[in-house]
Amino acid sequence: MDSSTCLELALEGERLCKAGDCRAGVAFFEAAIQTGTDDLRTLSAIYSQLGNAYFYLGEYDKAMEYHKLDLTVARTMGDRLGVAKASGNLGNTLKVMGKFKEAICCCERHLSISQELEDKVGEGRALYNLGNVYHAQGKHLGRIGPQEPGGFSDEVKHCLQKAVEYYAANLRLMEELNDRSAQGRACGNLGNTHYLLGNFTQAISYHNERLAIAKEFGDKAAERRAHSNLGNAHIFLGEFETAAEHYKKTLQLAQELGDRAVEAQACYSLGNTYTLLRDYPMAIHYHLRHLAIAEELTDKVGEGRACWSLGNAYSATNNNEKALHYATRHLDISKEIGDKTGQAAAQMNLTDIRKVLGLPPTPVDSESSESTEDAKSRTRRKSMENMDLLKTSVNEESSMDDDSFFELLSRFQSKRMDDQRCTLSVESNKENQPEQAQQQVQTHNREGGSLSSNGSTNGTTTPSDSGANNCGVLEELMESIAGMQSRRMDEQRASLPQLPGLNNQHAILQRLSVAASDTTPLPDDNFFDMLMRCQGSRIEDQRSSLPNDGSLTHSAPTVPDDDFFSLIMRFQSGRLEDQRSTMPLEATRNSTHPATDEEEPPNSAHSTGAKDGLVSRLVKGRK
């Protein structure tokens, strides 16, 4: 097979990926690599497409591997535009992997090269990607500490402000280019970021603009997101009636799109909004709809949250029998999914409701009724029960004196010390073997007498002999160390890049490296600074995280975001004595930071538009 066969396989893979069958497309791209080609541009296009396909399949390690290969080929060819696009793709892949520092480095390189080449479209994409990275980093850091919009730490606010700067720059550039679709995405992300910063009025302004642009294009999904985000922002301004109208539009559009999970989220948001309006019959209506969909989708977290809300709503209407029923269901579900916070909230609600109904309190679980003394005795180590044996042995008269004791101790410890010694093996490295030195072992008898090399019996050596011996030992030690270090240095040497799918790659890479040697400057200080920043986070990746006992691993597709419910908790607390409002925040999702209904990425590619027919354009360029 030749290069034309490789190109045909790549074209078929590209067609399948465009049709949405990325898995089959990957198979054709892999077959193209197996076939091989001599054309670096074809190989670069295949790497880029494979990286994009694996990105959409969620296999981010493989996506990064092929985007790195694409970057290597682009650098080898001196293709600055290719370097920019590959850097952008790497940045987006690193972002979803949570490696934000490296992602920022790659996106900044994408931006600088695009500005250098005066590529306005590439510059806009780089600005958008940088905004996305800082936005994602801010939300990631915001999972710890205060989680209410506008109440984040300074570090989180800094990331969100940087995201606003890049999104705003992207919006201005897209207005220059008259790209309305890109303007809509920028407005949506600006609205989401201002919402997290607590700038709700500005968030509403941007989301209204996003809604208008979505209607221009007939983009129902974008309309639905805009209405949902507008409802959230109006809630925080206390405009509950307006929020309810936006949630109703969200519900209507979710039904048109056939998205049952989003439909359930809209019902839950409406139920809680009507709770804030104290319209409990409407709140119960929407919470029952949410519960039905959660059961349909087997969303246990959603079921538990719906039962919690229904218990509170029925309790507010003095329908304590139904309140007891749903509070009991909430407790059972919380136990089933291991939600300790939910169990505590349900137990408190049950205690209050049973008290109102004149029923005896429910029996407390055996685990919670365990006495403090029992807990102490259970955690006490069994070995501590034998402390009396130690006390007896210490108090007994010992027949050993101090010297005998330390001699015995040293014999026991010597083996442990020997086990920790490293063995020097330099025999295999013949270059580092010193010449055999004549050394005499001097043995001392107990009386202090010795026989030295010069025949003296005073137990000492002359200064000249001592210096010669020390030099020999030092030289041997240094050569031994050099031998060991040389092997370690060899293991760290970098090899020439291996590009799968490139035929005769040794000759091609050698020819390209010779051609580039006269024009390629050595890396400057900025390069090494960037490299150190990227490498710094690798250490962080190896740190162990603290255990999070309160978090749940269950997904909750029918439950909206936590920040809205924390507001409801504050509004409800203290309003009704018999209504417990402790919200099990940990039970909602894997991530507990305030999230918004995010904008979808551009349709062309996940970062730089590199998926819009690279192989096809390459073929057209040859004709």
Side-chain angles (χ1 to χ4, degrees):
M1 289 189 267
D2 53 12
S3 295
S4 61
T5 306
C6 173
L7 189 58
E8 290 172 2
L9 290 169
L11 285 170
E12 180 62 19
E14 184 177 86
R15 185 191 67 78
L16 289 168
C17 286
K18 284 184 177 181
D21 192 354
C22 288
R23 184 62 66 186
V26 163
F28 274 90
F29 283 128
E30 295 282 6
I33 288 179
Q34 291 294 326
T35 302
T37 180
D38 295 331
D39 188 359
L40 286 173
R41 292 191 178 277
T42 300
L43 195 62
S44 175
I46 293 173
Y47 287 157
S48 180
Q49 294 286 48
L50 259 174
N52 290 331
Y54 276 122
F55 181 91
Y56 283 109
L57 291 172
E59 299 180 27
Y60 301 119
D61 289 329
K62 288 188 175 180
M64 188 167 66
E65 175 187 346
Y66 281 107
H67 284 316
K68 282 182 177 179
L69 289 171
D70 183 27
L71 180 62
T72 301
V73 172
R75 282 175 169 170
T76 303
M77 295 187 298
D79 180 5
R80 297 288 288 165
L81 183 61
V83 170
K85 290 183 176 181
S87 298
N89 286 332
L90 271 173
N92 255 14
T93 306
L94 288 165
K95 178 199 74 175
V96 298
M97 296 175 73
K99 299 180 179 181
F100 300 110
K101 291 183 180 179
E102 294 96 327
I104 289 171
C105 288
C106 291
C107 291
E108 285 177 344
R109 183 168 58 224
H110 181 202
L111 177 62
S112 63
I113 295 175
S114 297
Q115 291 173 337
E116 171 192 328
L117 299 176
E118 298 184 354
D119 178 10
K120 294 294 184 182
V121 175
E123 181 182 351
R125 287 170 175 159
L127 290 168
Y128 184 85
N129 289 338
L130 275 166
N132 271 340
V133 174
Y134 277 109
H135 192 175
Q137 185 180 25
K139 288 173 24 177
H140 177 77
L141 295 173
R143 296 180 306 168
I144 304 173
Q147 298 180 1
E148 181 179 326
F152 292 110
S153 65
D154 291 339
E155 185 181 15
V156 175
K157 288 181 179 178
H158 170 74
C159 292
L160 296 176
Q161 289 287 2
K162 293 288 289 184
V164 167
E165 292 175 15
Y166 284 113
Y167 284 142
N170 170 261
L171 179 59
R172 290 192 296 270
L173 189 56
M174 293 303 102
E175 287 173 346
E176 290 179 20
L177 299 176
N178 197 28
D179 187 342
R180 291 289 286 167
S181 178
Q183 290 174 43
R185 287 192 295 271
C187 286
N189 283 315
L190 277 166
N192 290 339
T193 314
H194 278 296
Y195 169 82
L196 292 176
L197 286 168
N199 305 327
F200 303 116
T201 303
Q202 287 177 279
I204 288 172
S205 174
Y206 281 115
H207 283 310
N208 277 325
E209 182 65 21
R210 181 37 173 153
L211 180 61
I213 295 174
K215 288 181 177 179
E216 286 181 23
F217 288 89
D219 187 349
K220 296 292 185 182
E223 284 186 53
R224 197 272 308 160
R225 291 195 299 272
H227 279 298
S228 178
N229 290 329
L230 281 166
N232 292 341
H234 280 290
I235 281 288
F236 275 91
L237 291 177
E239 300 168 352
F240 304 137
E241 294 85 355
T242 307
E245 292 302 317
H246 284 293
Y247 288 136
K248 286 179 181 177
K249 294 286 182 63
T250 302
L251 177 58
Q252 178 184 344
L253 289 166
Q255 289 173 327
E256 292 179 13
L257 295 169
D259 192 334
R260 293 288 281 168
V262 175
E263 183 181 344
Q265 292 180 24
C267 289
Y268 190 36
S269 298
L270 279 165
N272 283 288
T273 304
Y274 280 112
T275 297
L276 294 174
L277 290 168
R278 303 193 183 187
D279 188 347
Y280 298 112
M282 288 296 293
I284 290 170
H285 167 74
Y286 283 111
H287 282 309
L288 286 172
R289 289 181 62 178
H290 170 227
L291 177 60
I293 300 175
E295 291 172 342
E296 174 189 330
L297 300 179
T298 63
D299 175 15
K300 286 295 181 182
V301 176
E303 288 183 46
R305 190 60 69 83
C307 291
W308 179 87
S309 300
L310 284 165
N312 286 337
Y314 278 119
S315 180
T317 58
N318 294 321
N319 192 340
N320 293 307
E321 288 78 7
K322 286 193 175 182
L324 180 64
H325 167 73
Y326 284 108
T328 304
R329 281 193 64 183
H330 180 210
L331 178 61
D332 294 339
I333 292 171
S334 298
K335 289 179 179 179
E336 181 181 347
I337 63 178
D339 178 11
K340 300 296 184 183
T341 309
Q343 290 181 47
Q347 192 65 56
M348 285 190 295
N349 281 342
L350 278 172
T351 301
D352 287 346
I353 296 170
R354 294 180 72 87
K355 188 181 297 183
V356 172
L357 292 172
L359 299 175
T362 56
V364 184
D365 292 338
S366 58
E367 292 84 2
S368 61
S369 62
E370 185 178 28
S371 64
T372 307
E373 292 298 325
D374 291 340
K376 288 182 179 179
S377 63
R378 189 185 64 222
T379 56
R380 184 184 181 191
R381 292 188 309 174
K382 293 292 185 182
S383 60
M384 298 300 290
E385 297 173 0
N386 298 322
M387 279 296 293
D388 292 337
L389 296 176
L390 296 178
K391 291 178 182 177
T392 303
S393 62
V394 171
N395 292 331
E396 288 177 352
E397 289 291 328
S398 175
S399 59
M400 294 189 299
D401 57 8
D402 291 342
D403 292 338
S404 300
F405 171 75
F406 284 112
E407 183 180 353
L408 177 65
L409 181 65
S410 63
R411 287 205 306 272
F412 274 95
Q413 294 290 340
S414 61
K415 186 179 185 303
R416 295 180 60 187
M417 296 175 65
D418 289 337
D419 291 340
Q420 300 176 41
R421 298 185 191 276
C422 63
T423 302
L424 300 180
S425 57
V426 296
E427 292 80 359
S428 60
N429 191 340
K430 296 182 179 180
E431 294 181 359
N432 294 316
Q433 285 185 353
E435 296 180 359
Q436 294 294 330
Q438 298 296 326
Q439 298 183 356
Q440 296 182 351
V441 180
Q442 302 176 4
T443 58
H444 293 261
N445 56 24
R446 294 180 65 90
E447 291 78 19
S450 65
L451 181 63
S452 65
S453 58
N454 59 2
S456 63
T457 60
N458 57 3
T460 61
T461 59
T462 62
S464 59
D465 293 336
S466 177
N469 289 338
N470 289 340
C471 290
V473 172
L474 181 61
E475 183 179 358
E476 182 181 356
L477 176 63
M478 295 303 295
E479 289 184 356
S480 299
I481 293 174
M484 289 186 292
Q485 293 292 340
S486 64
R487 291 194 296 274
R488 294 180 62 186
M489 293 175 66
D490 288 337
E491 293 172 357
Q492 299 177 38
R493 296 186 190 279
S495 59
L496 290 175
Q498 298 296 320
L499 303 176
L502 178 62
N503 297 332
N504 302 321
Q505 61 177 297
H506 180 73
I508 293 173
L509 291 175
Q510 188 176 26
R511 187 165 64 250
L512 287 170
S513 63
V514 170
S517 60
D518 297 332
T519 59
T520 303
L522 292 173
D524 56 8
D525 292 338
N526 293 330
F527 170 79
F528 288 109
D529 289 340
M530 181 183 70
L531 183 63
M532 290 302 296
R533 289 199 305 272
C534 289
Q535 293 291 341
S537 64
R538 294 181 61 186
I539 300 176
E540 296 296 331
D541 293 340
Q542 299 176 38
R543 298 186 189 276
S544 60
S545 57
L546 293 174
N548 187 4
D549 295 333
S551 63
L552 294 176
T553 57
H554 299 272
S555 62
T558 68
V559 181
D561 307 324
D562 287 332
D563 49 347
F564 178 53
F565 304 126
S566 64
L567 179 73
I568 294 172
M569 181 182 66
R570 293 200 310 276
F571 269 86
Q572 288 181 338
S573 60
R575 186 161 54 96
L576 295 171
E577 291 297 330
D578 60 343
Q579 182 175 348
R580 295 286 184 177
S581 304
T582 303
M583 180 65 85
L585 295 180
E586 293 85 348
T588 306
R589 289 185 178 177
N590 293 335
S591 61
T592 59
H593 59 80
T596 47
D597 221 335
E598 301 297 341
E599 288 296 317
E600 295 292 337
N603 293 328
S604 58
H606 68 267
S607 65
T608 65
K611 195 184 177 187
D612 48 355
L614 279 176
V615 183
S616 302
R617 291 204 311 273
L618 187 64
V619 174
K620 292 177 182 177
R622 292 177 175 177
K623 293 181 179 179

